[in-house]
Amino acid sequence: MENRKQVLELVLERSPYFEYLCKCVESIGFCFPSGCELVLFAGKQKSPLVDLLGLSSIGIVDINTLYSRDEANPDVWIELDEEELLNLASSEIPLSKMKITINKGHFIYPQVENILKRIFIPPLEFPLSDRIEIIYWSMFDCIEPRIVWRSEQSDLLILKYENAFDGLDVYITSGLTNPENNTPSLIEFENGKTSGFGYELMITAKPNESVFRDELVSWTKYIEETKNHIYPGQFIEYREGRLPNTDLSGFIITPPIDLPEIIPVSSGYGRINLLLGVTAEELEIAKKEDDIYIVADKMFEKGYVNYSPTRRNSVM
């Protein structure tokens, strides 16, 4: 029984779709001829057990062995072949089939079934459509986006997710990681190849705050036209000195906090690069010290997580 738990844990946590599953379900029952395993997840809601045990806010909380379905009431039941599960764990051979049943009284989005299929029946290449339909969708509270900008030259988009993070709107590109974007990128991944430029850009804004949206559009156009990249750890500054009607003079590029940083794309990976607004003083310190994280750490300490107000004093 213990071996089966370990195999389930390995298969789930190894998949690049695992953290998106955690954001959509709280529990799954896996059924085998000899019994069931109930897997409890953290991610969809804050669990007191997660805090008590000091566990990560996303991941497996516990796996309990059951002898029948009557012992639990998970979101979903999955019936699969134990031998095939072992082959998936040891040799990465996809399952030939599995049966997914939504438990009575529970609501599960249709996208969750696709996430489960990506984990247990992974294709040779993940569909590009997953980036919006599964990954961004689960990252941003199952919200459907609106297109706010579309390239005339390619499939590159900028999407808006309203009220998607702590009351803020999220703007994010979709297309910089497309495989056809083959201009050399400095971004590399330990677990696979880089897809496209290797990153998408993201910025957050208060509702109806157009300056950050317009900046993301401007920098996305810049990348598409020049093929000059924006990497994590860099800064970008406004050439006129200060963004109009703000106290900010540019941006530092960091990973997002409490959101996935690396995403699967096609047969490779990309990362999310967050644009975080900084004042002239903060920008000068980042340039002088050649380390934007000196500024980023101070901003996080002051509560500026994934967002920097347009009007504020320097944190330095």
Side-chain angles (χ1 to χ4, degrees):
M1 290 292 186
E2 190 65 27
N3 183 56
R4 193 165 65 195
K5 291 181 181 181
Q6 293 172 350
V7 169
L8 265 175
E9 187 173 1
L10 171 63
V11 169
L12 286 165
E13 293 185 344
R14 185 174 62 192
S15 171
Y17 283 73
F18 172 64
E19 57 188 322
Y20 310 110
L21 178 67
C22 293
K23 287 181 169 291
C24 298
V25 297
E26 295 181 49
S27 58
I28 296 178
F30 292 90
C31 294
F32 307 91
S34 58
C36 305
E37 303 292 345
L38 177 67
V39 183
L40 306 176
F41 299 95
K44 183 179 180 182
Q45 294 183 355
K46 193 76 170 178
S47 167
L49 183 59
V50 171
D51 290 335
L52 182 64
L53 298 178
L55 300 174
S56 169
S57 59
I58 292 180
I60 294 175
V61 176
D62 202 4
I63 302 179
N64 300 316
T65 299
L66 312 173
Y67 295 97
S68 76
R69 291 192 180 197
D70 297 333
E71 296 182 48
N73 184 31
D75 295 327
V76 176
W77 287 108
I78 299 178
E79 298 174 42
L80 42 77
D81 183 271
E82 189 164 351
E83 189 64 32
E84 286 198 343
L85 181 65
L86 289 170
N87 289 335
L88 176 58
S90 62
S91 305
E92 301 190 36
I93 301 173
L95 303 184
S96 64
K97 61 181 178 179
M98 64 178 184
K99 182 179 179 181
I100 302 171
T101 305
I102 299 172
N103 211 0
K104 187 176 181 180
H106 293 257
F107 172 77
I108 296 295
Y109 287 99
Q111 290 92 328
V112 175
E113 291 197 28
N114 287 332
I115 295 174
L116 289 167
K117 290 175 182 176
R118 299 292 185 267
I119 293 173
F120 292 97
I121 314 176
L124 293 176
E125 290 193 359
F126 297 116
L128 275 179
S129 57
D130 281 4
R131 186 174 46 215
I132 295 176
E133 295 175 4
I134 291 180
I135 295 169
Y136 289 175
W137 172 83
S138 61
M139 282 173 62
F140 303 127
D141 289 337
C142 310
I143 297 169
E144 295 298 328
R146 180 167 63 88
I147 297 173
V148 296
W149 178 81
R150 186 191 299 269
S151 170
E152 296 179 355
Q153 306 172 40
S154 67
D155 294 330
L156 183 57
L157 306 171
I158 293 178
L159 305 168
K160 177 183 181 182
Y161 291 84
E162 293 186 3
N163 193 24
F165 182 84
D166 284 352
L168 300 170
D169 294 339
V170 172
Y171 296 91
I172 190 166
T173 61
S174 177
L176 294 173
T177 52
N178 282 7
E180 62 266 23
N181 292 326
N182 53 16
T183 302
S185 171
L186 295 178
I187 292 179
E188 296 180 347
F189 298 94
E190 293 181 0
N191 52 345
K193 68 179 185 179
T194 301
S195 183
F197 296 153
Y199 62 89
E200 301 288 351
L201 297 180
M202 169 183 156
I203 200 166
T204 61
K206 290 183 177 180
N208 302 315
E209 196 171 49
S210 61
V211 61
F212 289 144
R213 177 202 64 205
D214 294 345
E215 281 299 299
L216 186 62
V217 171
S218 176
W219 286 108
T220 302
K221 288 180 178 178
Y222 166 81
I223 293 169
E224 185 173 47
E225 291 169 2
T226 67
K227 302 301 185 290
N228 292 327
H229 298 304
I230 294 176
Y231 293 122
Q234 290 183 333
F235 63 84
I236 50 180
E237 63 183 313
Y238 193 64
R239 69 179 62 177
E240 280 77 15
R242 182 175 293 181
L243 290 167
N245 303 312
T246 78
D247 293 324
L248 307 176
S249 294
F251 300 91
I252 55 177
I253 313 304
T254 72
I257 304 297
D258 292 331
L259 290 170
E261 179 183 345
I262 297 175
I263 62 173
V265 186
S266 185
S267 59
Y269 293 88
R271 59 178 296 136
I272 305 297
N273 290 344
L274 174 75
L275 276 67
L276 191 61
V278 290
T279 66
E281 182 181 350
E282 292 162 352
L283 189 59
E284 285 306 310
I285 291 174
K287 291 161 67 173
K288 180 180 178 181
E289 300 295 333
D290 194 26
D291 185 355
I292 65 99
Y293 293 105
I294 292 174
V295 176
D297 289 344
K298 280 288 187 182
M299 292 178 67
F300 298 152
E301 289 174 11
K302 295 292 185 179
Y304 299 135
V305 177
N306 293 345
Y307 174 72
S308 172
T310 57
R311 294 290 189 185
R312 65 173 180 83
N313 294 325
S314 170
V315 299
M316 306 304 289

